Amino acid sequence: MNIAGLLKTTLLDYPEHVAATVFLGGCNMLCPFCHNAELIGNPKELYTKESFFQFLKKRKGILDGVCISGGEPTIHSELPDFVMEIKSLGYLVKLDTNGTNPAMLRQLIQENRIDYVAMDIKSGISAYSMCCGCRVSMNSILESIAILKEHRVPYEFRTTVVDELHKQQDMIEIGKMLQGASKYFLQSFMPSPQVPVDYFHAPSKEQLKKYQHLLKKFVPNTLIRGE
């Protein structure tokens, strides 16, 4: 388990809770618009497991929960045990995932190891692998979507919208994939020195509003992050 980053306090990452966010190194995607591209591969470990749990023990009573992000947490076989160690301290656990490991996602939910899931939806089916920078099993993505739509744990789907990568047809395809979901967020891409490709731009507010209006036909509770 490579703990490559730690945000010690956040009011944004876990809805309605004060939390810490732990970033696990390693990812099975190469998204060209990723803000955490430094976590791909085998990044430097910044915290040992022992020091991380010492931190959590000191923050008991201050933090409500822990967000596990990355990278992609579900590539780590030891994730279920890591989650249970966190929960043994009395914390809620939120998982951020790209949905490529539905078997682990189902296990974590069935065993009541996680309390909230945020799954990234990269694009519509026809452009999914392009937006991920690698070949992706759509069967796995669709299975993870179906697991969450069973409503056994609170969840959200979310898409980072990049002006050059996302068009109306992509949004229609996403809407069809997510139809029946309880919550879906559109979030605007923000240029950053950490992003691998430097010519991407954020969509206009007007464009995001148009996409929101379109997607509400499929997921009525489609929201724009930050509004």
Side-chain angles (χ1 to χ4, degrees):
M1 186 70 70
N2 182 330
I3 300 177
L6 177 63
L7 180 60
K8 294 184 176 181
T9 305
T10 173
L11 301 176
L12 301 176
D13 291 350
Y14 196 145
E16 301 179 4
H17 293 287
V18 180
T21 299
V22 58
F23 297 91
L24 304 184
C27 190
N28 54 357
M29 289 185 176
L30 297 167
C31 304
F33 54 93
C34 180
H35 281 85
N36 292 332
E38 72 276 7
L39 299 180
I40 298 171
N42 188 31
K44 181 180 179 181
E45 183 178 68
L46 297 183
Y47 294 86
T48 64
K49 184 178 174 182
E50 291 73 21
S51 65
F52 170 68
F53 280 102
Q54 286 174 3
F55 161 77
L56 288 185
K57 289 173 183 176
K58 291 178 181 178
R59 288 298 184 99
K60 288 181 69 174
I62 299 173
L63 299 174
D64 304 319
V66 176
C67 305
I68 302 178
S69 191
E72 173 50 39
T74 65
I75 67 173
H76 300 283
S77 61
E78 60 267 49
L79 178 64
D81 291 337
F82 183 68
V83 170
M84 287 310 294
E85 265 194 86
I86 296 172
K87 289 190 72 67
S88 72
L89 297 175
Y91 289 106
L92 299 168
V93 174
K94 170 182 176 261
L95 174 69
D96 290 344
T97 182
N98 61 24
T100 52
N101 192 340
M104 181 175 285
L105 178 61
R106 186 177 291 280
Q107 176 191 348
L108 292 169
I109 292 173
Q110 288 181 338
E111 297 176 357
N112 297 314
R113 295 180 187 239
I114 50 178
D115 304 285
Y116 193 96
V117 179
M119 179 176 163
D120 290 311
I121 303 297
K122 303 299 182 178
S123 188
I125 290 176
S126 60
Y128 218 94
S129 290
M130 179 194 71
C131 284
C132 295
C134 60
R135 289 181 63 86
V136 175
S137 166
M138 284 310 303
N139 287 337
S140 295
I141 300 299
L142 294 173
E143 185 177 349
S144 291
I145 290 171
I147 290 169
L148 293 181
K149 285 164 67 174
E150 293 172 358
H151 300 284
R152 301 177 71 172
V153 65
Y155 69 90
E156 67 183 58
F157 296 110
R158 61 192 185 186
T159 296
T160 299
V161 182
V162 183
D163 193 48
E164 288 81 3
L165 296 180
H166 297 102
K167 305 302 177 185
Q168 179 170 305
Q169 182 57 37
D170 301 306
M171 297 299 153
I172 292 172
E173 290 184 18
I174 290 172
K176 291 178 179 178
M177 289 164 56
L178 300 185
Q179 194 156 19
S182 60
K183 187 185 297 183
Y184 176 47
F185 281 100
L186 297 172
Q187 51 195 37
S188 180
F189 168 77
M190 297 298 291
S192 164
Q194 282 72 48
V195 175
V197 175
D198 62 4
Y199 52 77
F200 289 147
H201 297 87
S204 67
K205 291 182 179 180
E206 293 76 16
Q207 191 63 58
L208 273 184
K209 284 288 188 182
K210 288 180 181 178
Y211 290 157
Q212 180 189 29
H213 178 74
L214 175 65
L215 284 154
K216 278 181 175 288
K217 299 174 184 177
F218 303 96
V219 183
N221 194 22
T222 297
L223 307 167
I224 295 175
R225 184 80 72 186
E227 286 194 346

